[in-house]
Amino acid sequence: MADKILIRPLATAPQTYQWLHLDSRSRVTQRGELDALASAASSLEAVVLLPAAMVLLTEADLPIKNPAQIRQALPFALEDKLADDIERYHLVWTRQENQKLAVAAIAKQAFADCLAPLRQAGIEVTAAYPEALCLPYRADECSIWVEGEQAWFRRDVWQGGGIDVSAMPLVLDKCREQGT
């Protein structure tokens, strides 16, 4: 198994990344531009944290069990939640304990644009996750991280997102209404 590096593009500083060598004894994060990251990531598998505002984390209630049927039905279940044509989104799902589907939706072009500089720099991207799911989760609570003018939050096992700080009062009110 290859060593891994965790990479996070910084929204507050374009073309700047934060990274952590996961298999190192040192747990110090590094920060820098793509060339420094490429040097640090040499021969490591990269796990990328996608900016929370890029990924819609939602649920779908589909009683279907067959993955091929889910793949066909899921776009219809989500089309009211997405701002653009469903064909423009990459969808990933997992079945939850309550039998609903936890779904992550990201615009295909935004996903490609996020990964392209890393791949062009020779960084082997092996996985990508929404950064909102890195926040701690506890039942009936909401975790929030504020960085500059952006905030990300997690309010359930598979629920969270990213927004402008100015919208935080709306999110907090919604979390209170839902008891999280």
Side-chain angles (χ1 to χ4, degrees):
M1 177 184 259
D3 287 349
K4 293 184 178 9
I5 188 167
L6 184 66
I7 299 171
R8 180 174 166 249
L10 295 178
T12 56
Q15 307 300 316
T16 305
Y17 297 85
Q18 187 174 29
W19 63 89
L20 173 66
H21 185 209
L22 295 175
D23 300 308
S24 168
R25 290 183 187 261
S26 170
R27 292 295 179 185
V28 176
T29 60
Q30 303 293 313
R31 182 183 183 140
E33 293 182 0
L34 188 57
D35 56 341
L37 169 59
S39 177
S42 177
S43 76
L44 300 175
E45 289 184 5
V47 176
V48 177
L49 296 181
L50 300 169
M54 288 177 60
V55 184
L56 171 68
L57 298 173
T58 190
E59 289 182 328
D61 195 2
L62 290 176
I64 304 166
K65 301 278 189 224
N66 181 300
Q69 291 175 329
I70 291 171
R71 204 173 301 113
Q72 287 179 332
L74 191 57
F76 299 104
L78 295 179
E79 63 187 347
D80 293 348
K81 296 180 180 185
L82 300 171
D84 209 347
D85 178 27
I86 189 71
E87 296 300 318
R88 294 180 179 222
Y89 288 89
H90 177 67
L91 305 175
V92 179
W93 70 88
T94 188
R95 182 77 59 191
Q96 299 178 78
E97 288 181 16
N98 64 7
Q99 295 307 305
K100 289 184 179 183
L101 295 177
V103 181
I106 184 169
K108 290 177 183 176
Q109 189 61 55
F111 190 36
D113 291 347
C114 186
L115 298 182
L118 300 172
R119 289 185 171 146
Q120 289 170 357
I123 297 171
E124 180 186 351
V125 177
T126 58
Y129 300 97
E131 65 186 351
L133 294 182
C134 292
L135 291 172
Y137 165 72
R138 281 215 221 131
D140 302 320
E141 292 185 11
C142 183
S143 296
I144 300 170
W145 179 273
V146 177
E147 186 173 72
E149 294 300 313
Q150 297 292 307
W152 22 303
F153 61 95
R154 184 173 186 181
R155 63 176 193 84
D156 205 339
V157 175
W158 298 105
Q159 300 289 304
I163 56 172
D164 289 334
V165 169
S166 62
M168 280 306 299
L170 299 171
V171 171
L172 293 174
D173 287 345
K174 190 70 168 174
C175 287
R176 279 190 214 108
E177 284 174 20
Q178 296 179 354
T180 56

